[in-house]
Amino acid sequence: MFGFRHIPLLLAACLAGAPAAHAADAGAIHQRILTLDTHLDTPMNFARPGWDMMDEHSVQSDMSEVDYPRMVKGGLDGGFFAIFIPQGPRTPEGFALALNAALKREAEIRDMVARHHDVFELAFRADDAERIVKSGKRVVFQSMENSYPLGKDISLLKRFYDLGVRMVGPVHFTNNDLADSATDPKGPEWHGLSPLGKQLVAEANRLGIILDASHASDETFDQMLALSTTPIVLSHSSARAVFNHPRNIDDARMEKLAAAGGVIQINSYSDYLIDTPPNLAREQAMRALNRRYGPFQGLGGEKLKSYMAERHAIESQYPIPRASVDDLMAHILHAIRLVGVDHVGIGLDWDGGGGVTGMEDVAGIPEITRRLLAAGYSEQDLAKIWGGNILRVMRVVEAKASRP
Ligand SMILES: [Zn+2]
C-alpha cells in the first residue's frame, strides 16, 4: 500500500517542462472528477437575513465562503453540509434546546434544497452522488458535528438518520456526555468515549452512519477506531507532524486510520495549519465588537456593513499570521506520502473558520488540484482524494449497516 509513494515526485520532475498545458489540464481534470468536501458549515448561513445560497457573496462583505455561484466557480460538486450545534449546558433544558436547534438547522438545509431543487439535491447513499452530479445538480449530504443535541438518548440518532444524516461526530471544542474533546482546557473527563459514547458508535454502525473523529481527543479517536465495525473518518483534520496542535492527528494514528480503511480529510483552518500565537488585544476587541452586535449571523443590511467595517479595522490594527496555500499543501502532501492516495481527502471547514491566503473561499479550490498534479499525482489519484475515498468508506458503512 505504501511502496510506490515516492513515484509521484519523479513524475513531477518529468512534467516540469510543460507548465502551460499542465494548467489547462488541471482545470479540465478538476471539472471532470467528482469533488466533495466533507465539512461545510454553510448551513449556519441559511437563516441569515437577506442571505441566499443562489447569490454570489464575498468573504470581505459577509464572511461567507460557500454559495452556489462560488461552488460553480470552484468546481465543487457538493459535500457534507453540517448540522453543527455548539456545546452548551449539559442539563435537561440544554439538551432539549440543542435538539430543537439541530432539528431546525436540518430543516433549514432541506428548505435550501427545496427552494433551489433545480440545482441542489439531498443525497442519502454513496451512489446518489454520481447520479446527482450527472443530472447537473450539486450533492447535499448531511452530517452532524457534535452529538450534544442527542443529550443522553442515543435512540435520537435514528431520527437524524431518517432525516438523512450520514456522518456523525461525538464531540466539539469541549468534553460532553459522549466523549472527550481534543481541545477541552480541563483535560480528559472520560479518557475517551463515555459509556453513552460507546453506544453512539454501535448505533451509528447499526444505522449506517459514518463515524467522524474530528475534534475528538486522541483517546476518543483510539476507542472509536477500535470499537467501530466500519472504517472511520476525520472529516476536517490536519497533520500533527506538520504543525503540533491537538486538533491535528499524529502519524501513528493516521497510519492506523488508513490500515482500518479510513480517510483523513484535510482542513484549511489556519490556526491548525501554522503557529498563530494568541493576540489578546485582538481577541478583546473582537469580543467587545461581538457583544455590541450579537452573533453576526443575525445581522443584515446596514448593520452588517458597519459590523464588517469595524471588524476589518480590528483585523488591520492587530494582524495575526495566516496560513497560505503552501502551508495547506504541506499537510495534504504529508498525509498522502504517509498513508497513500487512498486514505486522504478534502474537508476544508468552509464557513467554520477555513480558508487560507490564496484560497479565500470555495471558488479557490482548483488550486489544490493544480498543486497535486504539479506534485505528480494522476487524475485517478485526484478522483480518489476529491471524492472517491469518502464514497468508498460510505459504501462499506452502508453494506455493514444492519438497518439499511
Ligand atoms: Zn469543526
Side-chain angles (χ1 to χ4, degrees):
M1 177 165 54
F2 310 129
F4 297 102
R5 67 191 192 218
H6 296 300
I7 286 179
L9 297 174
L10 299 173
L11 282 174
C14 305
L15 291 168
H22 210 230
D25 286 354
I29 288 170
H30 188 79
Q31 282 305 319
R32 221 162 31 228
I33 60 180
L34 178 62
T35 50
L36 300 172
D37 182 304
T38 49
H39 194 76
L40 301 167
D41 272 315
T42 310
M44 284 199 277
N45 290 331
F46 290 167
R48 286 174 73 170
W51 198 93
D52 194 297
M53 190 67 168
M54 296 310 289
D55 296 335
E56 183 164 349
H57 307 257
S58 72
V59 178
Q60 190 70 11
S61 66
D62 67 8
M63 289 197 282
S64 75
E65 299 176 323
V66 176
D67 49 44
Y68 179 72
R70 285 182 288 174
M71 285 178 82
V72 172
K73 275 190 184 170
L76 183 68
D77 291 319
F80 286 77
F81 288 72
I83 299 164
F84 162 63
I85 303 301
Q87 187 60 47
R90 291 158 61 178
T91 60
E93 186 191 0
F95 294 142
L97 292 174
L99 175 61
N100 292 342
L103 290 168
K104 187 161 171 255
R105 182 61 45 81
E106 198 282 334
E108 286 163 4
I109 297 172
R110 271 169 190 276
D111 285 351
M112 189 285 286
V113 174
R115 266 188 222 109
H116 311 302
H117 62 271
D118 49 333
V119 290
F120 286 101
E121 187 173 331
L122 287 173
F124 303 95
R125 299 183 69 85
D127 287 347
D128 289 341
E130 203 168 322
R131 177 185 56 76
I132 291 170
V133 171
K134 275 194 180 139
S135 74
K137 300 184 190 183
R138 311 271 145 178
V139 182
V140 180
F141 283 113
Q142 296 179 78
S143 59
M144 183 181 268
E145 178 176 37
N146 196 8
S147 295
Y148 166 54
L150 306 180
K152 297 191 178 191
D153 183 0
I154 297 304
S155 75
L156 284 170
L157 188 62
K158 183 179 175 294
R159 196 158 162 194
F160 285 96
Y161 175 88
D162 289 341
L163 289 166
V165 168
R166 292 296 181 268
M167 184 187 289
V168 70
V171 70
H172 194 243
F173 284 153
T174 55
N175 303 336
N176 63 18
D177 286 86
L178 301 157
D180 289 341
S181 162
T183 49
D184 194 318
K186 293 197 197 98
E189 174 179 336
W190 306 100
H191 286 282
L193 291 164
S194 71
L196 208 60
K198 291 176 183 167
Q199 285 179 38
L200 177 79
V201 171
E203 183 65 354
N205 283 164
R206 187 184 76 84
L207 292 168
I209 300 180
I210 300 169
L211 283 157
D212 174 10
S214 280
H215 289 287
S217 72
D218 288 348
E219 289 174 299
T220 303
F221 170 91
D222 292 341
Q223 291 167 22
M224 287 172 74
L225 193 66
L227 283 175
S228 177
T229 57
T230 64
I232 70 168
V233 304
L234 293 157
S235 71
H236 58 305
S237 290
S238 301
R240 205 177 290 173
V242 180
F243 175 58
N244 186 9
H245 191 289
R247 263 291 274 118
N248 295 337
I249 190 171
D250 61 53
D251 283 359
R253 286 189 170 84
M254 208 191 293
E255 286 180 322
K256 280 187 194 154
L257 174 83
V263 193
I264 174 170
Q265 307 279 118
I266 303 291
N267 196 342
S268 70
Y269 195 109
S270 181
D271 292 358
Y272 306 153
L273 299 178
I274 59 164
D275 190 17
T276 53
N279 185 324
L280 283 178
R282 178 184 165 115
E283 284 161 30
Q284 275 169 7
M286 284 292 182
R287 263 201 300 276
L289 177 72
N290 291 330
R291 260 199 307 275
R292 268 191 292 122
Y293 282 88
F296 74 86
Q297 286 94 347
L299 306 173
E302 288 307 310
K303 269 221 156 125
L304 178 63
K305 267 189 198 158
S306 58
Y307 170 83
M308 290 305 300
E310 287 192 49
R311 195 182 164 96
H312 291 146
I314 294 170
E315 284 166 354
S316 32
Q317 193 181 352
Y318 308 106
I320 49 168
R322 189 155 188 256
S324 64
V325 177
D326 283 345
D327 297 318
L328 170 65
M329 291 310 300
H331 287 264
I332 295 176
L333 290 168
H334 174 81
I336 296 174
R337 285 167 191 154
L338 185 70
V339 296
V341 292
D342 291 315
H343 302 285
V344 181
I346 306 293
L348 298 170
D349 213 352
W350 293 126
D351 295 313
V356 294
T357 300
M359 195 188 75
E360 308 293 337
D361 60 19
V362 71
I365 63 167
E367 185 61 18
I368 295 175
T369 296
R370 271 194 289 279
R371 299 283 188 111
L372 286 173
L373 289 168
Y377 295 97
S378 67
E379 175 168 354
Q380 199 188 14
D381 297 335
L382 268 289
K384 290 176 177 178
I385 293 164
W386 269 116
N389 292 336
I390 189 65
L391 292 176
R392 179 196 72 228
V393 170
M394 196 170 192
R395 286 194 176 95
V396 176
V397 169
E398 287 169 1
K400 290 204 169 180
S402 51
R403 184 197 168 276

